[in-house]
Amino acid sequence: MFRYVKLEYPEIAGQGLVYMDVWPIGYPIIAVYNPNMMAQFIQENSLPKYWAMPQVEFKYFTGGEDLVNLDGPEWKKARSMFNPGFSAKNLLSLVPDMMEEVLVFRERLRKAAASAEVIKLTNYTTDLTVDIVGRAVLGTRLQTQVGPNRLMQLIKSQLKLIYFELDLPKQLNPLLPLKNWVYNRMIKKELAPYILNAAQNYEKIVGPKTIVTLALKEYVNEVQNHNARGNIPSEFVERVVKHIKIFMFAGHDTTATVLAYIYYMLSKHPTEAAKLRAEHDEVLGPDPTAAAGLIRADPNLLNKLPFTMAVLKETLRLFPPVGGSIRQSPPGHFLTHPETGVRYPTHGFMLHSSASTVLRDADYWPDPDDFVPDRFMTRDESDPWHPVKNAWRPFEMGPRNCIGQELVFTEVRLILALTVREFDVEEAYPADAPSWMGLKGYQVANTEAISTAHPKSGLPVKVKARK
């Protein structure tokens, strides 16, 4: 929407931002289109999240008491608690566990190829990323790829109660608080055993530690009496549950979408697919079936796949699952255009960093609608293809950038390393299906369930086994 506002009103948007009042559909908003102006309220001065996020949108899901919505000292404390688990080093140590789930995914693709049936690719990638998040965050096998999982069914059901725009049936439903209370109670019952086990048995855990285990380290170190850990305050468990819910929601959905789009883009661009496979042959050897053993023995091999990372970054540029961040401006706050010096007042508006617009803006990206992974292989900053500073922001930037981006980098490289040399996908949309921006698999919103963008119709494809 914001991209097309910019295309429709180029002279206004050329000032770097657009003021809009979309009442009663939403709140007064400033869409910011200049990446250096975004930096003023996202990076240089990280403003708090817009008030409606914790108080309205996520009010019942987490009470706004999660890593996405918290602000100030509470946010800093939570971020520092979870940073160790999301570090690149720790995530690489979890690769062998993640690999078990990827091998289940690979087998599902083999069966789909053998049957020649049309599958919805996002169903497969979503099941996989749920299982990977389960291993990384909780250290358990949710086995969503095998059958329905109660925890994720509860979380997805509660997500359907969230509204991000005008939705009178939900907003006026007198049973909404009760339904959320029931879901919160059931989800806490599912998650509490993992939290209590991690806190009570921290020293006994051998080998790689999950994100929750490392997050609880601070608490565990404070409780020196081992017996006292059996009486962990319910409020503490409640707080950790809220963080886990956000991780499970954001951690699986966005990654599943990006992964599906990578397969889709590779099917549309055989030259780039060949380069990707050549990199895997060079780093992991010519036998695709041997890759799992090599990566299990040395997960650092994933860091030697720069073109694979470039493919991921280019796909995220074209299809960011989230359009940008929204922030609350204090009284007297202004944004300054870096070239003209004009100052724009922002108080009273939702500030939106329109990342999805910048990521396809010809002012910052040559041939912005083309799939060109090599732009992320360019190291010469004077090269016009080199990404412009502050312009690549699918995870946003600054101190509040997405804590899970290293998890995305790790799991996507692992999944591609174990699958792209064995399979191709072929889109299976109806012949008369509409195209938009050159693709039948364009991004759509599913406000019934979630706020992020998804491929149209779940991206129907046929999986083909490669010889």
Side-chain angles (χ1 to χ4, degrees):
M1 292 293 290
F2 295 118
R3 180 169 187 259
Y4 276 85
V5 168
K6 185 177 189 297
L7 294 174
E8 188 74 15
Y9 302 99
E11 290 186 6
I12 299 176
Q15 308 304 308
L17 48 75
V18 169
Y19 291 83
M20 288 179 278
D21 184 358
V22 292
W23 185 90
I25 305 302
Y27 304 100
I29 187 169
I30 299 175
V32 183
Y33 294 125
N34 184 300
N36 294 319
M37 294 176 77
M38 294 179 190
Q40 294 172 29
F41 67 95
I42 296 289
Q43 293 144 258
E44 299 161 14
N45 178 20
S46 181
L47 295 182
K49 293 299 180 75
Y50 190 65
W51 68 268
M53 284 183 63
Q55 296 180 36
V56 179
E57 294 163 356
F58 288 93
K59 175 182 178 180
Y60 295 114
F61 190 65
T62 62
E65 297 174 348
D66 61 79
L67 204 55
V68 170
N69 291 288
L70 283 171
D71 278 304
E74 284 296 314
W75 171 80
K76 289 183 179 179
K77 183 177 180 181
R79 180 83 181 211
S80 65
M81 185 168 74
F82 284 101
N83 272 336
F86 282 101
S87 69
K89 180 180 179 181
N90 186 61
L91 292 170
L92 281 179
S93 75
L94 295 172
V95 161
D97 291 341
M98 297 182 198
M99 186 179 294
E100 288 187 69
E101 311 304 338
V102 180
L103 295 178
V104 175
F105 174 70
R106 187 171 70 178
E107 191 56 36
R108 292 186 77 193
L109 292 181
R110 285 175 179 165
K111 291 179 180 177
S115 69
E117 65 178 321
V118 174
I119 66 167
K120 289 190 175 183
L121 188 55
T122 56
N123 288 350
Y124 279 54
T125 57
T126 299
D127 290 343
L128 167 61
T129 53
V130 166
D131 284 348
I132 288 179
V133 170
R135 294 299 288 264
V137 175
L138 301 175
T140 189
R141 299 202 70 173
L142 296 176
Q143 296 188 305
T144 311
Q145 299 181 91
V146 177
N149 174 268
R150 177 171 168 77
L151 172 61
M152 285 311 300
Q153 284 182 317
L154 290 171
I155 290 177
K156 288 180 179 180
S157 295
Q158 189 177 17
L159 285 169
K160 291 180 180 180
L161 303 178
I162 294 178
Y163 50 88
F164 294 90
E165 55 192 34
L166 184 67
D167 190 328
L168 293 179
K170 290 181 181 178
Q171 287 168 286
L172 301 179
N173 184 354
L175 296 178
L176 192 65
L178 176 61
K179 287 182 177 180
N180 277 286
W181 180 83
V182 172
Y183 279 125
N184 284 331
R185 186 180 177 89
M186 290 192 291
I187 292 170
K188 180 181 177 181
K189 186 177 180 181
E190 291 288 321
L191 288 173
Y194 298 109
I195 299 168
L196 295 172
N197 178 65
Q200 293 166 2
N201 300 298
Y202 181 80
E203 294 94 341
K204 300 177 185 177
I205 299 174
V206 179
K209 296 197 168 45
T210 66
I211 290 166
V212 165
T213 301
L214 286 177
L216 292 171
K217 182 178 180 180
E218 181 181 342
Y219 173 80
V220 169
N221 290 339
E222 288 176 2
V223 184
Q224 299 301 322
N225 182 349
H226 182 79
N227 294 326
R229 296 180 193 169
N231 300 312
I232 297 172
S234 176
E235 300 78 23
F236 178 81
V237 175
E238 185 82 34
R239 193 159 65 245
V240 176
V241 164
K242 291 172 180 177
H243 291 306
I244 294 175
K245 286 173 70 176
I246 274 293
F247 295 153
M248 299 299 290
F249 159 47
H252 85 274
D253 182 67
T254 53
T255 310
T257 294
V258 171
L259 182 60
Y261 270 121
I262 289 176
Y263 289 121
Y264 191 37
M265 287 294 96
L266 294 177
S267 74
K268 298 287 186 182
H269 300 86
T271 300
E272 308 301 332
K275 289 168 68 174
L276 181 67
R277 289 166 178 143
E279 178 177 79
H280 292 181
D281 285 345
E282 180 181 350
V283 176
L284 303 171
D287 180 7
T289 62
L294 292 170
I295 296 171
R296 186 181 286 110
D298 182 11
N300 281 297
L301 286 172
L302 297 177
N303 291 326
K304 299 178 181 180
L305 302 173
F307 188 73
T308 306
M309 179 67 91
V311 167
L312 168 58
K313 286 187 172 182
E314 179 70 342
T315 307
L316 279 164
R317 184 186 70 80
L318 290 170
F319 306 102
V322 179
S325 184
I326 54 174
R327 302 297 176 93
Q328 178 81 35
S329 61
H333 183 267
F334 289 80
L335 292 179
T336 304
H337 194 287
E339 294 162 16
T340 66
V342 176
R343 299 173 73 238
Y344 297 93
T346 64
H347 181 57
F349 288 83
M350 175 196 298
L351 273 174
H352 180 266
S353 62
S354 189
S356 57
T357 303
V358 169
L359 290 167
R360 282 184 183 251
D361 193 325
D363 290 343
Y364 309 107
W365 306 94
D367 297 333
D369 294 327
D370 291 348
F371 181 70
V372 187
D374 273 331
R375 69 176 90 233
F376 290 99
M377 299 291 284
T378 307
R379 297 291 175 262
D380 181 2
E381 293 188 11
S382 64
D383 189 320
W385 286 89
H386 187 277
V388 174
K389 181 182 178 181
N390 292 330
W392 190 79
R393 48 197 318 133
F395 294 105
E396 257 312 339
M397 305 182 84
R400 297 203 63 149
N401 65 350
C402 175
I403 194 173
Q405 62 182 296
E406 283 296 338
L407 176 58
V408 176
F409 293 158
T410 301
E411 63 182 306
V412 170
R413 284 180 293 176
L414 174 63
I415 295 163
L416 296 178
L418 298 183
T419 58
V420 292
R421 289 186 288 174
E422 291 195 41
F423 307 101
D424 284 313
V425 302
E426 180 182 285
E427 74 172 15
Y429 286 97
D432 60 350
S435 291
W436 182 56
M437 295 171 66
L439 292 172
K440 292 183 178 180
Y442 53 85
Q443 287 181 295
V444 297
N446 180 5
T447 53
E448 183 66 26
I450 356 217
S451 62
T452 54
H454 285 214
K456 176 75 180 294
S457 303
L459 194 51
V461 301
K462 283 190 175 183
V463 180
K464 305 286 183 73
R466 302 184 71 247
K467 294 182 180 180

